[in-house]
Amino acid sequence: MAYRFFGKRVPFRHRMWARDDLTGHRYHARNMAWRVLAPVIPFMVIMVPFTVWGTMTSGVDPWGYEYTLGFAPKIVETLVQSFLIMAITWWPVTLNNFGEGRRVELLARHDFHPDGRPVHWEK
């Protein structure tokens, strides 16, 4: 995860894997999916107890349709709102430094030229 999210350098024995990942087909799609979708599930798991507790303490049935827009139960509506807050705050932060420059930077960090050739490795 440190490699995917923060661009940390992998150990030497995994360098060829990193090179294959960085120069492989659909690298940008994999990177985008990891950066956008990976935080969604933990965030939602953390938010479910808070949304249930928040609606119950305010006297509203979490699975009821009162005080909603009428499309979904209150808990679903609250989770969608939480998801939108995450999308507005997390995704712009995680999508900066994204693209071809990031790929070239990670290749250089792992001792590769931009085309994937090793710079110089000593045993």
Side-chain angles (χ1 to χ4, degrees), residues 1-10 17 21-22 27 29-43 86 90-99 102-103 105-106 109-110:
M1 287 178 61
Y3 164 75
R4 286 285 181 209
F5 289 117
F6 306 114
K8 296 292 181 185
R9 189 175 182 176
V10 298
W17 171 84
D21 179 55
L22 292 166
Y27 162 73
R30 281 192 308 277
N31 195 18
M32 176 75 82
W34 266 97
R35 288 173 173 245
V36 171
L37 297 177
V40 170
I41 293 172
F43 181 79
M86 185 188 89
W90 173 253
W91 288 345
V93 169
T94 191
L95 291 179
N96 67 351
N97 196 10
F98 181 77
R102 172 82 170 168
R103 187 185 74 80
E105 174 192 332
L106 286 172
R109 187 173 293 165
H110 289 93

Side-chain angles (χ1 to χ4, degrees), residues 11-85:
F12 185 79
R13 67 178 183 262
H14 300 297
R15 296 276 168 85
M16 294 307 282
W17 171 84
R19 183 196 71 155
D20 290 343
D21 179 55
L22 292 166
T23 60
H25 188 60
R26 296 190 182 146
Y27 162 73
H28 296 295
R30 281 192 308 277
N31 195 18
M32 176 75 82
W34 266 97
R35 288 173 173 245
V36 171
L37 297 177
V40 170
I41 293 172
F43 181 79
M44 289 303 192
V45 167
I46 291 169
M47 288 307 296
V48 166
F50 289 113
T51 56
V52 171
W53 176 75
T55 55
M56 290 177 72
T57 56
S58 64
V60 177
D61 178 23
W63 297 105
Y65 288 91
E66 56 193 84
Y67 304 111
T68 66
L69 296 175
F71 300 114
K74 185 63 179 171
I75 190 169
V76 174
E77 191 174 272
T78 307
L79 282 174
V80 168
Q81 292 169 355
S82 302
F83 179 77
L84 290 175
I85 290 171

